[in-house]
Amino acid sequence: MILSVTLSKPVKNISSILGDDYVRVKIKRNVSSGAKADEAYLAEFFTEKQVFHKKFSEESLGEFLGRNAGISFKVCVERTEDSEIQILANKKGKISWLEKKIGKPNSDLGEVASAFKNIKMKTGSGSSNQTKNRILPDGIPVPFLVRLGIQTAEGKVIASKYDKFRQINRFLEFVDDILPDVTRIRTERGDSSPVRVVDFGSGKSYLTFAVHYFLTEVRKIDCEVFGLDLKKDVIEYCSKLSSELGLKNLNFAVGDISDYSGGKSPDIVVTLHACDTATDYALDYAVKSGVSAILSVPCCQHELNAQLSKSSAPKDSPFEPFLRYGLIKERFAALATDAIRAELLEKSGYKVQILEFIDSGNTPKNLLIRAVKSGNRECPLGFESLLSALSLNQTLRKLMGEK
């Protein structure tokens, strides 16, 4: 049974075949207990800027792969319960198949990298066991997860912490996705130093510990990870935990994102729910430092919302209806804020995607901005004073090049 499929390296005329310029397709088996037959697989179709979702039955997935694996996409990787199959097409269109058997996971903690395998676990709803691939699996103890109260000493995820466990794994998937681009950019720069990651607004540092563990233990990448937060007691706890676990090159400090200067520029900047303009300060630092990749989950976009009122838009403005009702205005302001952030990152030389971080049933703050460096252009407007200095109309007009 197919558990997951990834298709990449599309042919030049992919839009005429599938209707859009897709660069990658990721398909996973739907493990929901109530999933219907025509919802057996969940697919994400990625363009450079967007992601589209689709559902497949087992039959329709087979038909889709038959038409596209090695044909529309030159690389296809299928994972089953006991093997990994690569379908590859060369420049002349010749298709080859490579199959690698997957062994049983090693129970040694130092070999958790081998635990990309399938483990029987209960879903968060407590329903019957389902098979699910996770970077950090349920059932194998990970030291920092145990100490942070997410797993028991035996490695079982605590029921009340299952949403946090899923959130951590989902974020690590995004980190894994950008690693090839980060490696390519570092190679082009001739940079052989450890991969540097800064987590702004690290809080209890679930993600900070997770990224360090993933890079060092799973991917075996030499790295330096740094967490910054305003709360002294939280930073002291995280520093103590890092020391007690004997983690090298994982450090924490008390500080404000708005005036952080740091040392050597990082390769990756991450923010999870950095509140309001803290996200903008983090993006501003990332752009000015020329980081290779940014993963940002914004939170509490109040700044623009506070500026908006019915009188801030002319009566004939297309925005006026969005300001009439409080809840709609709040959501519109949040979406407008993130759209502006994405546009500014594009204009600063980044390829940007707006993706769903995790199901909105687990957290309402489920939008993730993923940006990968693609050029050296300078941002025409700074993030620092973006939201406080400009009204929505002024900002949009400047972004569109109007006076």
Side-chain angles (χ1 to χ4, degrees):
M1 178 176 64
I2 295 176
L3 299 178
S4 67
V5 185
T6 300
L7 299 101
S8 58
K9 294 192 176 180
V11 295
K12 291 183 179 180
N13 63 333
I14 188 67
S15 61
S16 63
I17 299 173
L18 294 180
D20 211 331
D21 291 318
Y22 297 115
V23 296
R24 185 170 69 259
V25 178
K26 296 179 71 174
I27 304 169
K28 293 183 178 180
R29 187 160 185 85
N30 187 355
V31 298
S32 299
S33 58
K36 300 176 181 178
D38 60 352
E39 300 174 343
Y41 291 90
L42 307 177
E44 293 176 305
F45 287 70
F46 296 86
T47 67
E48 289 289 348
K49 296 183 179 181
Q50 293 177 290
V51 58
F52 300 89
H53 298 85
K54 186 176 180 179
K55 297 175 182 177
F56 288 101
S57 64
E58 290 190 8
E59 182 179 358
S60 61
L61 175 63
E63 293 174 353
F64 176 82
L65 295 178
R67 292 193 304 268
N68 295 284
I71 302 171
S72 304
F73 293 87
K74 297 178 182 178
V75 177
C76 173
V77 179
E78 294 183 15
R79 290 181 177 85
T80 68
E81 293 174 305
D82 59 2
S83 64
E84 179 182 278
I85 303 166
Q86 295 187 40
I87 305 171
L88 309 171
N90 62 19
K91 293 182 178 179
K92 295 183 179 180
K94 183 180 179 180
I95 299 175
S96 59
W97 291 63
L98 301 174
E99 182 173 358
K100 179 175 68 175
K101 292 296 180 182
I102 298 176
K104 295 182 179 179
N106 193 318
S107 60
D108 189 297
L109 288 181
E111 297 296 325
V112 181
S114 66
F116 280 88
K117 313 303 180 289
N118 303 302
I119 293 179
K120 293 290 184 179
M121 69 169 79
K122 288 185 179 180
T123 63
S125 61
S127 59
S128 58
N129 287 347
Q130 301 287 343
T131 300
K132 180 70 176 177
N133 282 325
R134 295 204 188 279
I135 289 177
L136 303 181
D138 184 358
I140 296 181
V142 177
F144 82 90
L145 290 178
V146 174
R147 291 294 301 273
L148 289 173
I150 294 177
Q151 284 183 327
T152 65
E154 294 74 31
K156 184 62 182 175
V157 175
I158 296 170
S160 62
K161 296 292 184 180
Y162 203 84
D163 286 347
K164 177 62 69 175
F165 177 70
R166 291 181 65 245
Q167 186 185 78
I168 291 170
N169 270 287
R170 180 59 172 158
F171 198 87
L172 292 181
E173 290 177 9
F174 286 115
V175 174
D176 197 30
D177 284 344
I178 64 171
L179 281 181
D181 289 301
V182 172
T183 301
R184 171 183 55 79
I185 293 170
R186 284 168 54 83
T187 301
E188 292 172 354
R189 292 174 177 171
D191 189 349
S192 59
S193 63
V195 173
R196 296 170 297 281
V197 183
V198 172
D199 182 0
F200 285 118
S202 54
K204 292 183 180 179
S205 301
Y206 295 102
L207 290 186
T208 327
F209 280 99
V211 170
H212 180 271
Y213 185 87
F214 172 65
L215 293 177
T216 57
E217 297 296 333
V218 178
R219 284 303 189 194
K220 307 298 182 184
I221 294 174
D222 191 16
C223 67
E224 297 174 354
V225 181
F226 175 73
L228 183 78
D229 199 272
L230 286 170
K231 299 178 181 178
K232 183 179 179 181
D233 58 334
V234 172
I235 291 299
E236 288 177 348
Y237 173 78
C238 293
S239 297
K240 181 182 178 182
L241 179 57
S242 176
S243 177
E244 290 174 353
L245 291 174
L247 304 178
K248 297 181 180 179
N249 296 326
L250 174 60
N251 298 289
F252 300 89
V254 178
D256 193 328
I257 300 173
S258 63
D259 56 16
Y260 177 76
S261 57
K264 192 173 182 181
S265 296
D267 297 289
I268 303 170
V269 162
V270 304
T271 70
L272 178 67
H273 300 159
C275 192
D276 202 13
T277 54
T279 294
D280 299 290
Y281 284 116
L283 296 179
D284 186 60
Y285 169 82
V287 168
K288 290 177 179 176
S289 300
V291 303
S292 301
I294 301 166
L295 295 173
S296 178
V297 181
C299 177
C300 307
Q301 297 95 321
H302 296 312
E303 185 72 24
L304 190 56
N305 184 38
Q307 297 177 43
L308 294 175
S309 66
K310 292 181 182 179
S311 60
S312 66
K315 290 184 178 180
D316 59 347
S317 169
F319 301 124
E320 194 275 333
F322 294 96
L323 310 181
R324 194 174 299 158
Y325 308 99
L327 182 60
I328 292 177
K329 185 180 85 135
E330 179 184 345
R331 294 182 179 178
F332 170 66
L335 290 173
T337 299
D338 290 329
I340 292 168
R341 287 166 173 160
E343 183 70 9
L344 291 177
L345 286 169
E346 286 273 1
K347 290 181 177 295
S348 300
Y350 286 83
K351 288 194 291 186
V352 181
Q353 289 178 302
I354 303 293
L355 306 170
E356 183 180 69
F357 172 38
I358 201 164
D359 189 271
S360 58
N362 295 294
T363 172
K365 285 108 176 160
N366 67 335
L367 181 150
L368 180 137
I369 301 173
R370 179 168 69 189
V372 176
K373 188 73 172 173
S374 61
N376 296 311
R377 290 172 288 172
E378 292 197 6
C379 184
L381 304 171
F383 283 90
E384 250 179 281
S385 58
L386 166 66
L387 300 179
S388 60
L390 299 172
S391 73
L392 176 63
N393 284 332
Q394 289 173 327
T395 302
L396 292 176
R397 285 170 182 165
K398 286 196 177 185
L399 290 175
M400 292 186 292
E402 298 177 6
K403 294 185 178 180

